[in-house]
């Protein structure tokens, strides 16, 4: 996931016409002075250890700060902006592959992902933010799916 965030930060930065130094200056102006040009360069280029793994992942704090400074929703640094009708596989959690559109809907709280109890998934949405999910997620379908998953004994087990 850190590699994707780093790639998206670089894409958005370049789309804005900013250098790494300019992004670092904006970060400092907006309260994230720790995101120096060197830190951003390392983030974008993913310094690797001898085994080829990133030396350090992008933190949630960095993701949020960079989204703020770049004036994009954090979602758009997590999932590439591919049309919702695109069915190309997208792997964003170890062992979980879906489409970019479904990944965005899951992050937005619009649809459960994998074998989860839909009732539990939607239960954390504050009443003031609740909107009836579009398409398949009617109240009746949420209950029917939840009962089916619970009867199979798969609630919360596995992501596929």
């Amino acid at each position: 996931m850190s590699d994707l965030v780093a790639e998206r930060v670089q894409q958005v930065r370049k789309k804005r016409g900013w250098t790494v130094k300019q992004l670092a200056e904006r970060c400092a102006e907006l309260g994230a002075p720790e995101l120096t040009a060197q830190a951003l360069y390392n983030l974008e280029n993913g310094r690797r250890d001898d085994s080829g793994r990133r030396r350090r992942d992008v933190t949630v704090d960095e993701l949020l700060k960079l989204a703020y400074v770049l004036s994009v929703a954090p979602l758009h640094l997590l999932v590439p902006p591919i049309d919702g009708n695109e069915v190309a596989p997208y792997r964003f959690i170890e062992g979980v592959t879906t489409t970019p559109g479904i990944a965005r809907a899951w992050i937005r709280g619009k649809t459960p992902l994998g074998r989860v109890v839909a009732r539990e998934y939607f239960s954390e949405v504050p009443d003031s933010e609740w909107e009836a999910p579009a398409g398949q997620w009617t109240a009746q379908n949420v209950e029917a799916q939840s009962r089916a998953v619970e009867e199979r004994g798969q609630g919360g087990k596995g992501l596929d």
Side-chain angles (χ1 to χ4, degrees):
M1 180 57 43
S2 289
D3 287 336
L4 176 65
V5 170
E7 181 181 332
R8 291 290 303 134
V9 166
Q10 186 177 58
Q11 289 170 352
V12 174
R13 174 183 61 75
K14 287 181 176 181
K15 189 175 184 179
R16 303 276 187 268
W18 297 350
T19 64
V20 171
K21 183 177 183 223
Q22 289 170 317
L23 177 56
E25 289 168 356
R26 292 273 301 152
C27 287
E29 290 169 12
L30 295 174
E34 70 280 6
L35 293 174
T36 63
Q38 186 63 46
L40 292 167
Y41 177 81
N42 289 339
L43 180 142
E44 285 187 5
N45 293 293
R47 291 184 54 197
R48 308 288 173 174
D49 62 19
D50 292 338
S51 69
R53 292 185 50 128
R54 253 183 188 279
R55 288 188 180 190
R56 173 177 97 61
D57 289 330
V58 177
T59 68
V60 173
D61 286 348
E62 290 167 337
L63 168 72
L64 296 174
K65 289 174 183 179
L66 286 164
Y68 177 71
V69 170
L70 291 165
S71 296
V72 299
L75 164 66
H76 301 301
L77 296 180
L78 292 169
V79 183
I82 297 172
D83 189 295
N85 296 324
E86 178 72 43
V87 294
Y90 172 65
R91 186 172 151 249
F92 73 113
I93 298 174
E94 188 69 35
V96 179
T97 301
T98 188
T99 66
I102 291 173
R104 281 193 295 276
W106 177 72
I107 293 169
R108 286 183 176 125
K110 300 294 185 186
T111 190
L113 182 66
R115 295 179 297 188
V116 301
V117 177
R119 184 183 329 104
E120 291 174 4
Y121 176 81
F122 291 117
S123 71
E124 294 302 309
V125 178
D127 289 342
S128 63
E129 295 177 17
W130 174 253
E131 295 175 18
Q136 78 183 64
W137 295 114
T138 63
Q140 295 83 7
N141 288 347
V142 167
E143 282 307 311
Q145 184 274 355
S146 298
R147 281 192 305 276
V149 170
E150 289 168 342
E151 287 170 8
R152 286 188 302 230
Q154 296 174 348
K157 296 179 185 171
L159 292 170
D160 56 1

